[in-house]
Amino acid sequence: DTAVSQTPKYLVTQMGNDKSIKCEQNLGHDTMYWYKQDSKKFLKIMFSYNNKELIINETVPNRFSPKSPDKAHLNLHINSLELGDSAVYFCASSPQGRPDQPQHFGDGTRLSIL
Amino acid sequence: GQSLEQPSEVTAVEGAIVQINCTYQTSGFYGLSWYQQHDGGAPTFLSYNALDGLEETGRFSSFLSRSDSYGYLLLQELQMKDSASYFCAVDDKIIFGKGTRLHILP
């Protein structure tokens, strides 16, 4: 009965590869997010979708492409992985993305680039 | 620009009270949120303040002063399990502070 689930939990791969991270929420929320947390614990928003529509697209290399097949899923595809992409990636959701609504985070995907 | 400032580390003793401050600068402010993150875990929501004043939830309270662009999280009766990182966040574009690492001594 996990609320926000991400797969895989760990991802170790080589520079230059392409990888995807999947996220699903069973809370019935309309809004989903992707965050990147670096080694210094800095948590930075990457993308936000509301009901499958892109709302926030921060300054992220275009090697990162989010895809939302339906409002319960927001996947992240990364092309040509670089060393600097090593981080923990968190998916989150909130009911309608309103400021007063808490975000519910997944457990994170720990991406390591060799 | 948009920024949030909070201390990088705070140390307190079990059973004591600790305050974690957050100052912000943002173009579109709706409210201030606080999240807790244990090592290796996911951030979890603690509180949200849209209006000036103190909001209390059990041992945790959060304060906001919009005129001062300032807020704080107050943790009372500290327990060892409160050792974690605490993030303030503003909601214009969901900007998080860099987090305050809380160390609790027995």
Side-chain angles (χ1 to χ4, degrees):
Chain A
D1 58 345
T2 304
V4 181
S5 60
Q6 303 179 219
T7 53
K9 191 173 174 69
Y10 298 94
L11 189 51
V12 181
T13 189
Q14 293 194 326
M15 210 163 47
N17 284 350
D18 302 338
K19 290 293 178 186
S20 291
I21 307 172
K22 294 186 176 182
C23 179
E24 176 182 3
Q25 53 95 3
N26 63 4
L27 297 167
H29 289 172
D30 287 343
T31 307
M32 296 185 72
Y33 312 84
W34 275 111
Y35 289 88
K36 178 181 180 180
Q37 187 170 45
D38 61 23
S39 57
K40 295 183 179 178
K41 294 272 204 164
F42 186 34
L43 194 62
K44 185 172 169 58
I45 183 79
M46 299 174 70
F47 302 103
S48 170
Y49 271 71
N50 186 271
N51 223 345
K52 302 195 297 175
E53 284 193 33
L54 182 65
I55 302 297
I56 294 173
N57 183 355
E58 288 298 297
T59 308
V60 176
N62 58 15
R63 298 182 294 105
F64 291 79
S65 51
K67 281 191 173 48
S68 182
D70 56 61
K71 74 174 193 177
H73 295 83
L74 180 61
N75 304 323
L76 184 64
H77 188 76
I78 316 171
N79 289 326
S80 304
L81 281 157
E82 300 178 357
L83 289 175
D85 298 334
S86 293
V88 181
Y89 292 83
F90 285 101
C91 176
S93 72
S94 74
Q96 290 91 32
R98 287 203 331 251
D100 61 323
Q101 295 172 334
Q103 294 185 36
H104 299 255
F105 283 78
D107 289 336
T109 296
R110 284 140 190 86
L111 174 62
S112 298
I113 310 300
L114 304 177
Chain B
Q2 294 171 316
S3 67
L4 291 97
E5 295 293 330
Q6 51 181 129
S8 58
E9 288 187 275
V10 171
T11 300
V13 178
E14 192 176 13
I17 299 173
V18 72
Q19 179 173 311
I20 300 173
N21 299 321
C22 174
T23 57
Y24 59 86
Q25 182 179 353
T26 180
S27 54
F29 181 79
Y30 296 94
L32 187 70
S33 302
W34 288 93
Y35 284 79
Q36 179 192 60
Q37 185 180 27
H38 287 99
D39 280 348
T44 56
F45 174 80
L46 291 177
S47 67
Y48 177 78
N49 293 65
L51 303 175
D52 286 358
L54 191 68
E55 297 270 349
E56 298 183 48
T57 309
R59 294 187 297 114
F60 293 5
S61 304
S62 56
F63 172 83
L64 176 65
S65 169
R66 295 175 71 111
S67 59
D68 295 323
S69 298
Y70 163 76
Y72 64 73
L73 181 69
L74 190 74
L75 295 83
Q76 303 182 71
E77 301 172 21
L78 283 171
Q79 301 175 9
M80 297 305 292
K81 67 177 182 179
D82 298 329
S83 293
S85 293
Y86 293 84
F87 295 85
C88 58
V90 293
D91 44 51
D92 180 16
K93 279 193 174 182
I94 313 161
I95 310 296
F96 279 77
K98 293 186 178 179
T100 297
R101 176 76 188 198
L102 175 60
H103 302 277
I104 299 177
L105 305 176

